[in-house]
Amino acid sequence: MTLSLSTLDSLKPEHRPETDPRDLAPRVVHFGLGAFHRAHQAVYTEAAAAASGQPWGIAAVNPRSPEPVERLRTQDCLFSVTDRRTRVVGSVVEALGMVPDAGRVDELLTSPEVTVVTLTVTEKGYFRDPATGRLDTANPEIAADLAGRPPRTVIGRLATLLAARFRASGAPISVVSCDNAAGNGRALADVITSFVSASGWPDREAVQDWLRTVVAFPATVVDRIVPAVTGATTDAAAAALGVRDEMAVAAEPYRQWVLEDSFAAPRPPWEADGALFVADVAPHQLMKLRLLNGSHSALAYLGLAAGCRTVADVLATGWGERMVRGFTAEVAPTLPASDLDVPAYVDALVERFADPAIGHRLRQIGSDGSLKIAERWLPVLRERGGAGPVLALALAAWVHATRQPFGITDPLAESLAACWDGAPDTATVVARLLTAIGGADLAGDPALVAAIARRLPAVEAGRIDP
Ligand code: NAI
Ligand code: CS2
């Protein structure tokens, strides 16, 4: 038996959803039907609908692969989240493929009933130039969308859909990035507006004007460790539920959502489930991105070099916790002054990372490093004027990983690997690599480059001693 509306009644009450999708309407459109959306925004939205009695449902759109859409449809859009317990979530009401179901997605985005768009499309999905952070219009995928084909990138598609909404009614809407980037709201607004500006649309100036004045792009901080789904995740969910759930996800119990309180139109009352609405998310955002995500990337490259598989494996070594504490101590001085309790946050991080129940693979975190490191580490290096010993060691481990000993995926994998070709010394490789990810200024700092290059032989030998 498979999870669906018809098998819902067979579930024990503690496994059932808080809302019935049949009582909800699609009022939020989400792009990126990945593991994180299911364990985060879908959970908050379900609780918001249940608490308010308002019919906030999600139409979840997958940009690329058709499998999650097909699987979710088979299950009437139901799926479960396992943390300490397993529970079915009932907030998704439609599953759509961005390209195959373009007509329906268009209908939704032009409907005034839809007032919120959310996104979890990974750092790659924004097509930002590493050196400037602006839309990379030279990227072949963006260039093809700009040349007039039916858009296949989320940025091209969303810009086109928002323009259609402007032309249809101009009804206000909020577009909410839930990806890990500093200033994610402004970054998204910028790539969308740049796409419109580079389009040949006769009304592009009016569209840009509307985007600037009517559409909101609130910044957000999203937090919940949600590892990629494995067979074990699905089997555990089936054992708990008594029915198969091919869209099951497992996540840590902790979750957090901090949003800039600047929405343009009605939104789900996510605060009913603990989301925090604040005037300025920057202190929360930088603390999370630089301490949690920054340490995560360090754990990934150093852990892989030491032969570990998961984050918890690294924390179980003699040096894992020391590394996290050393790394965060080097980063903390760059955080903006605020009343947030940084030492308590670091203590909690160590505990979250050490949880053996979360099999968070280092290879997953290490993927797309060219984009993640540019976001997580480079601003820290700039602001503190170089690296301390732990940051330098982490950078050396990333440099080692670019040679592909672990087969990590990255949109720049080939050009990073090419930085090793014909280099007279490792300092040259380091400088080339930093330049490739948008850190030409850092590549020009000989002390930093030498500190990284000096640590490379130990990392290559798997000797990690932070
Ligand atoms: P996932 O691999 O399960 O899903 C990735 C989603 O992004 C899929 O819907 C995929 O179609 C889409 N995508 C991938 N490349 C794309 C591209 N070039 N253009 C457009 N869409 C693309 O990953 P997951 O776990 O859902 O994470 C997605 C993002 O959510 C992360 O990159 C991060 O920014 C954010 N996030 C994830 C957390 C986690 O622990 N998994 C926690 C906090 C934030
Ligand atoms: C991780 C994040 O995959 C990664 O790069 O650092 O997805 C991390 O698990 C989340 O941001 C936690 O909220």
Side-chain angles (χ1 to χ4, degrees):
M1 282 215 300
T2 300
L3 178 64
S4 70
L5 288 172
S6 60
T7 55
L8 210 48
D9 288 345
S10 72
L11 302 186
K12 289 191 191 137
E14 65 265 31
H15 297 312
R16 291 191 195 149
E18 287 181 20
T19 51
D20 185 324
R22 287 165 293 195
D23 299 334
L24 307 179
R27 292 197 171 176
V28 176
V29 173
H30 178 80
F31 287 86
L33 184 41
F36 181 59
H37 172 66
R38 307 208 289 286
H40 193 273
Q41 301 93 55
V43 173
Y44 279 92
T45 304
E46 182 191 53
S52 64
Q54 297 164 9
W56 288 103
I58 301 170
V61 181
N62 211 41
R64 297 181 160 204
S65 149
E67 280 90 24
V69 176
E70 284 157 16
R71 277 196 227 124
L72 206 55
R73 281 181 179 163
T74 309
Q75 300 187 176
D76 298 326
C77 295
L78 297 169
F79 59 89
S80 65
V81 177
T82 298
D83 41 44
R84 285 195 195 94
R85 60 194 184 120
T86 301
R87 202 176 59 73
V88 173
V89 175
S91 55
V92 175
V93 297
E94 271 182 71
L96 301 163
M98 187 177 82
V99 175
D101 300 311
R104 176 62 184 150
V105 179
D106 187 57
E107 192 175 271
L108 286 166
L109 255 291
T110 46
S111 159
E113 291 291 298
V114 170
T115 50
V116 177
V117 171
T118 52
L119 286 90
T120 52
V121 295
T122 80
E123 293 86 346
K124 302 185 286 297
Y126 293 77
F127 294 95
R128 296 167 75 194
D129 180 323
T132 63
R134 313 293 307 272
L135 181 69
D136 181 5
T137 47
N139 178 286
E141 289 190 67
I142 291 291
D145 280 6
L146 282 169
R149 71 165 181 190
R152 288 182 169 273
T153 68
V154 170
I155 297 309
R157 177 73 58 172
L158 192 52
T160 308
L161 289 165
L162 288 169
R165 185 178 179 97
F166 163 73
R167 291 170 200 135
S169 68
I173 190 164
S174 308
V175 187
V176 188
S177 166
C178 300
D179 281 296
N180 287 323
N184 51 2
R186 192 151 341 119
L188 177 58
D190 187 68
V191 289
I192 295 282
T193 313
S194 300
F195 187 94
V196 174
S197 154
S199 75
W201 305 334
D203 60 353
R204 59 187 178 277
E205 281 185 15
V207 176
Q208 287 180 76
D209 207 38
W210 175 76
L211 286 171
R212 260 193 300 271
T213 54
V214 176
V215 180
F217 291 90
T220 66
V221 188
V222 286
D223 194 4
R224 185 171 206 183
I225 295 173
V226 186
V229 173
T230 64
T233 319
T234 328
D235 290 346
L241 297 172
V243 294
R244 294 291 301 171
D245 171 10
E246 301 304 333
M247 287 299 276
V249 279
E252 66 170 339
Y254 177 92
R255 61 190 161 90
Q256 189 197 33
W257 200 1
V258 185
L259 302 99
E260 188 184 344
D261 195 3
S262 65
F263 279 65
R267 57 160 177 83
W270 289 309
E271 59 273 35
D273 199 27
L276 211 58
F277 286 83
V278 299
D280 179 15
V281 302
H284 295 271
Q285 195 151 47
L286 295 179
M287 184 169 79
K288 193 257 168 175
L289 200 57
R290 293 186 180 180
L291 298 184
L292 188 158
N293 297 112
S295 311
H296 245 177
S297 293
L299 285 162
Y301 301 115
L302 289 165
L304 286 166
C308 300
R309 203 177 70 95
T310 68
V311 172
D313 289 347
V314 186
L315 268 286
T317 64
W319 55 268
E321 177 173 346
R322 185 158 29 101
M323 193 286 287
V324 172
R325 293 197 182 275
F327 181 92
T328 50
E330 288 179 21
V331 170
T334 70
L335 300 178
S338 78
D339 55 6
L340 297 175
D341 187 343
V342 174
Y345 188 82
V346 172
D347 287 341
L349 269 192
V350 168
E351 215 170 292
R352 290 168 69 190
F353 289 163
D355 186 347
I358 314 294
H360 204 180
R361 295 211 185 132
L362 300 172
R363 280 170 48 102
Q364 180 185 1
I365 300 168
S367 68
D368 298 348
S370 61
L371 299 167
K372 290 178 179 174
I373 281 173
E375 194 64 62
R376 301 170 182 191
W377 295 355
L378 300 195
V380 171
L381 295 171
R382 292 188 178 108
E383 286 172 35
R384 67 192 302 291
V390 185
L391 260 164
L393 185 66
L395 279 152
W398 169 69
V399 166
H400 174 51
T402 61
R403 221 172 186 175
Q404 286 300 339
F406 316 115
I408 291 175
T409 56
D410 192 300
L412 290 190
E414 270 180 36
S415 41
L416 297 183
C419 291
W420 290 84
D421 296 346
D425 50 36
T426 39
T428 307
V429 177
V430 170
R432 285 180 185 171
L433 286 168
L434 288 171
T435 305
I437 63 169
D441 54 330
L442 297 165
D445 174 350
L448 173 66
V449 171
I452 301 168
R454 201 167 55 240
R455 287 169 172 83
L456 196 56
V459 170
E460 283 170 340
R463 282 196 318 274
I464 310 300
D465 185 14

